[in-house]
Amino acid sequence: MSPEILKAAFADNLNFAVGRPAEIATPEDWYQAIAFSVRDRIMHRWVRQFEKRNAPDVRQVAYLSAEFLPGPHLGNSLLNLGITDNARKALAGQDLDLYIGLEEEPGLGNGGLGRLAACYLDSLATLCYPATGYGIRYEFGIFDQSIKDGWQVEVTDKWLLPGNIWEIKRPNFAQVVKIGGHTETYTDEHGAFRVRWIPDRVVVGVPYDTPIVGYLSDSCVLLRLWSAEAAQSFDFADFNRGDYYGAVEEKVFSENISKVLYPNDEQLEGKRLRLEQQYFFVACSIKDMIRLCLRRGSTLERFHEMFCVQLNDTHPAIAVAELMRQLVDKYAMPWERAWDITRRTFSYTNHTLMPEALEKWPLPLFGSVLPRHLEIIYEINRRFLDEVRTRFPGDEGKIARLSIIDESGEKYVRMANLAMVGSHTVNGVAALHSELVKTQLFPDFHDLDPKRFQNVTNGVTPRRFLGLSNPGLTRLIDGRIGDSWLSNLDRLRELEAFAGDVGFQQDWMRVKLENKTRLARIIRDRTGVVVDPSSLFDIQVKRIHEYKRQHLNVLHIITLYQRIKHDPRLQITPRTFLFGGKAAPGYFMAKLIIKLINSVAETVNQDPAVRDLIKVVFLPDYNVKHAQNIYPAADLSEQISTAGKEASGTGNMKLSLNGALTIGTLDGANVEIREEVGAENFFLFGLTCEQAARLRAGGYNPGDYCHGDPELRGVIELIDSGLFSHGDRDLFRPITAHLLERDDYLLMADYRPYVNCQQEVDHAYRDRHHWTRMSILNVARMGKFSSDRAVREYADNIWKLKPFAPEA
Ligand code: PLP
């Protein structure tokens, strides 16, 4: 698409869609005009593929996810359409990057899980798979984080306020969803015994569609997000009686369902509204698939041939019962046939081993929201447990563990068990995690049917996270191996040949320094802290969680601080420690860790004795947009979770792909990253997951580690002394007391190996050529971690899905 054509499109859209003369157009107006022009081109592709996508024999994947974190669309869509350079030319002298930077991102997710879903949509589109991502159009996404006096403050995310150009409302495909009430039985006209659900309210789900275009593929997939509306905007009976407020109440009540994203990552919040949200989007999505299936002239007997449905964690697991309800209650299918179709339709991805994240709903709550589903789940469970009993007679313990209903105390519906029973395949998200899913999380299900278990290691899209966010490195790589690696990441291997090339290394270092300089400016502008771009950028960006151990990183910072204070002539590699991440608003310890980071930063950054050898920065409001500025500037990637706790991680992949070396434990996908990049190019420390289990089993006493290590003791004492808290000795006591008394995440045991490993990092960074060689090799060997590879594995091994050739 030539610059001239784009120029005309921008002018037309400024005129007709935005309605502003060029002479007075603001940057926001220009952003809109460009975005409309890009959307037009995506729509053109979308419409052209309509026939192909909807052909009767095309099988589709529906990716059900309560979270999607796509990031801003404009820059990525320009890249994927291959028109960034021409758009720049078309704007002749105007700053395209400024306009791109104005876009609000849809923060419809908490972190890794939602971002993974977005990476998969990018790859599904790029690889021309027919796919729809189904989710919730939260009016308020993940909160914006600001920092006041060192503490996290949550601000509502009003991402829709400036309007959202990328979505199209489709009221004609709206669906009605029932909630609450009771069930009753009746006999139908054929004399058959049937059940119907009499709800006590109904809401309408209205879909908003965002087409996602693939990279140079001419292909699109759809992100279809449901927004809740009242069945009627006003209750006219109330209105006519003069009760205006009563009349709008129902509207407000219904719209609450898609109002706000629950901001908890790896933590269950057993709230009624959350269950309603899950059911709401699942019910709309299943009905939408049924509609599409019937519209294509198929019968529901073939539902599982037309759709495969991936459950992204247990949040959409109620889909199992909902499809059964539709097939049995509405379409009068015999139970056995409906169950066969259901089992062939669903597959389930497990994302967590953390017990506090495994979803379960108190039975009375579940029954009051979804009375008919509870009955269906009981029936699924009864039939399933009968099978178990015949295979393991008398093993009541096994039966209790496998049951969808937890009856060990207060009764709960276990969503993971429902997802397991209702799916043909379950997968973990990294090799180690998939093993732990078999051996620790679901050993009884594994005994029952080992073939059902698979692994698909997560992946990330190299388009957004290298092509878009690191143009300097992209150009450098293109210059050596051509540009086809962006859609064939394994080709990065060809860079290995240049790892020892001094000229290439210098170019590599130059690009890294440019990226660090850019980030240093952002840090200064956003926090006021001045950092030195030539220092080692040591980066930990991810949700704040005790298992991710940001506080272990802090213990190392205080260790260095203490050493510098004790020895005024000490020479260490200058470092900038950068943190970013949100804490769940109700997670006290995580919020206190943010305060600790900021408090240590305040003390260390201002102490002249430190001689600027270390700087500590907390960059507020970590999101996809900021992540894109941070990854390219990282020298060291902190992936230091307690072994056995992180399912995979994807931040680890993005940082390594941008040339950061990893300091990490053998946890999640770190294990595979290390295998790929080579042990000599990875800083490994800490307990393995077996060692951690043994340590816990043998009676772990964290205090012993502290008392046996004077340096560690000094660090803890320094925190407790009030040095970082203006004399307040109690402020951080919940952290230090927990570390000394319980230390669930084994920081005390891993402290010394971590600090020693950091010393190796310090030495290694001094040999810049060797460091750069390691950095190049990290990038060269990241091919495996492309989301293209992951999506192909899902398509081949789980979905049995074929790509279709888009129109030329
Ligand atoms: N949050 C955001 C905004 C991200 O972009 C990512 C990316 O991977 C994550 C969280 C997940 O980070 P991690 O895998 O390190 O937990």
Side-chain angles (χ1 to χ4, degrees), residues 31-46:
Y31 157 73
Q32 291 196 16
I34 299 165
F36 274 122
S37 309
V38 169
R39 196 189 81 171
D40 290 345
R41 274 133 195 91
I42 298 174
M43 282 303 165
H44 182 56
R45 284 162 175 72
W46 175 251

Side-chain angles (χ1 to χ4, degrees), residues 69 105 110-113 115 265 460 465 541-543 547-548 622-625 627 631 638-639 646 648-652 654-655:
L69 209 48
E105 75 176 69
N110 274 288
L113 176 139
R115 185 51 239 176
D265 194 57
V460 302
F465 291 107
V541 282
K542 49 183 75 243
R543 287 297 288 245
Y547 85 83
K548 291 179 185 273
Y622 180 59
N623 58 17
V624 177
K625 202 166 169 175
Y631 298 138
E638 298 270 354
Q639 306 301 335
E646 187 76 86
S648 165
T650 44
N652 46 5
K654 293 169 191 172
L655 282 154

Side-chain angles (χ1 to χ4, degrees), residues 33 188 259 313 751:
D188 71 11
K259 189 65 86 185
D313 212 324
Y751 168 82

